[in-house]
């Protein structure tokens, strides 16, 4: 399992037309010039996967999808399988993002099935967990996140490369972030839940933090205990901003 280096992944969500490939090219060039100590990845919308894989080819930026279907093929209009993402050049895939849990009703069991599909296709899953504001205010953050880890990670996962991303729902796209103490507390709980679920072999898998990571807060977040990288939304759309986060790792 790859683990000693941090992973900084950009989630473009539903942003990005052909013209945005220039940002991927700029990031590739900057990563080639600065040789960062971390792994760097971009997860564009599915329509850009193939072209971005050509843009990023031969460079130091990895490519991921944002979701996949649990089945390999079938009558699932509008869906993209893990095998299709891999065929288009992706090596990673984000699964169980809170936006999909909330807007599409994805359950832990759905996400575990998608993780199995991703693994079968040779993709490295980034499995997202995180509490809502209501759950945090009720003192349930650790319990909610621990249960999501227990339910979303399938058996045998720790034999493969994977990451978990802790993204508090209330910190996504809001400019709000937890305190460093809160991040450390939840990351410790996520690690404990991963080890309880999969055993000691899950210890090397990185736990990314996501939710309003910006150039000006990245260094302190990335230096926090058990933070093995970042999953970045808005600040990953422009190579210049994203590179500052990469260089803070
Ligand atoms: P923002 O960085 O825009 O808050 O988004 C975080 C996120 O949801 C990444 O998956």
């Amino acid at each position: 399992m790859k683990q000693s280096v941090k992973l900084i992944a950009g989630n473009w969500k539903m942003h990005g037309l052909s013209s945005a490939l220039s940002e991927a090219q700029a990031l590739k060039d900057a990563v080639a010039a600065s040789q960062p100590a971390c792994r760097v990845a971009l997860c564009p919308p599915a329509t850009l996967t193939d072209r971005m894989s050509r843009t990023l080819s031969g460079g130091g930026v990895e490519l991921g999808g944002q979701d996949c279907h649990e089945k390999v093929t079938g009558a699932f209009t509008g869906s993209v399988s893990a095998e299709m993402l891999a065929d288009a050049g992706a090596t990673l895939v984000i699964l169980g993002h809170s936006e999909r849990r909330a807007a599409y009703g994805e359950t832990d069991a759905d996400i575990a099935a998608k993780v199995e599909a991703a693994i079968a296709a040779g993709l490295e899953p980034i499995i997202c967990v995180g509490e809502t504001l209501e759950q945090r205010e009720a003192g349930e953050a650790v319990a909610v996140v621990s249960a999501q880890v227990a339910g979303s990670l399938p058996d045998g996962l720790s034999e493969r490369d994977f990451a978990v991303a802790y993204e508090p729902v209330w910190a996504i796209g809001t400019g709000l972030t937890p305190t460093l103490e809160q991040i450390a507390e939840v990351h410790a709980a996520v690690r404990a839940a991963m080890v309880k679920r999969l055993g000691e072999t899950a210890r090397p898998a990185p736990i990314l933090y996501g939710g309003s990571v910006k150039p000006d807060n990245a260094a302190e977040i990335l230096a926090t205990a058990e933070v093995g990288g970042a999953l970045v939304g808005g600040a990953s759309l422009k190579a210049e901003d994203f590179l500052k986060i990469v260089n803070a790792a």
Side-chain angles (χ1 to χ4, degrees):
M1 184 179 287
K2 307 172 192 146
Q3 204 1 257
S4 34
V5 293
K6 289 186 162 63
L7 169 61
I8 310 296
N11 174 9
W12 278 15
K13 308 190 180 182
M14 199 171 75
H15 299 282
L17 303 176
S18 310
S19 55
L21 290 168
S22 62
E23 296 296 332
Q25 180 69 52
L27 183 68
K28 178 188 180 185
D29 294 345
V31 162
S34 68
Q35 298 278 322
C38 58
R39 296 170 62 202
V40 183
L42 283 179
C43 303
T47 46
L48 286 183
T49 312
D50 175 65
R51 277 173 294 159
M52 194 178 285
S53 109
R54 293 162 205 257
T55 302
L56 297 177
S57 175
V61 180
E62 300 171 48
L63 180 64
Q66 299 177 6
D67 177 45
C68 71
H69 197 276
E70 68 186 70
K71 295 280 194 327
V72 178
T73 54
F76 302 106
T77 302
S79 294
V80 172
S81 72
E83 190 181 53
M84 290 167 181
L85 287 173
D87 183 53
T91 54
L92 301 124
V93 63
I94 299 168
L95 293 171
H97 193 282
S98 62
E99 288 153 14
R100 295 206 59 89
R101 289 178 185 262
Y104 303 97
E106 290 190 8
T107 64
D108 290 339
D110 295 332
I111 293 155
K114 290 180 177 207
V115 172
E116 289 191 319
I119 293 288
L123 297 177
E124 180 177 340
I126 301 173
I127 305 152
C128 302
V129 298
E131 83 285 0
T132 63
L133 184 59
E134 195 181 21
Q135 289 165 333
R136 173 155 289 274
E137 287 176 342
E140 295 168 355
V142 162
V144 165
V145 165
S146 302
Q148 289 174 331
V149 170
S152 307
L153 275 50
D155 290 342
L157 179 62
S158 58
E159 286 146 35
R160 309 295 291 265
D161 291 325
F162 75 101
V164 172
Y166 168 52
E167 299 203 301
V169 176
W170 51 274
I172 294 175
T174 58
L176 301 172
T177 52
T179 65
L180 299 178
E181 290 71 24
Q182 288 171 327
I183 293 174
E185 180 194 22
V186 179
H187 278 235
V190 168
R191 176 67 67 205
M194 288 163 66
V195 170
K196 188 170 174 204
R197 173 73 187 89
L198 298 169
E200 281 298 321
T201 48
R203 206 168 279 287
I207 304 170
L208 317 185
Y209 169 78
S212 297
V213 177
K214 305 289 176 200
D216 62 356
N217 64 14
E220 59 179 12
I221 291 173
L222 288 164
T224 300
E226 280 286 19
V227 175
L231 186 54
V232 183
S236 71
L237 294 171
K238 292 282 165 224
E240 192 184 343
D241 293 338
F242 193 44
L243 195 71
K244 287 181 189 151
I245 296 170
V246 165
N247 287 333

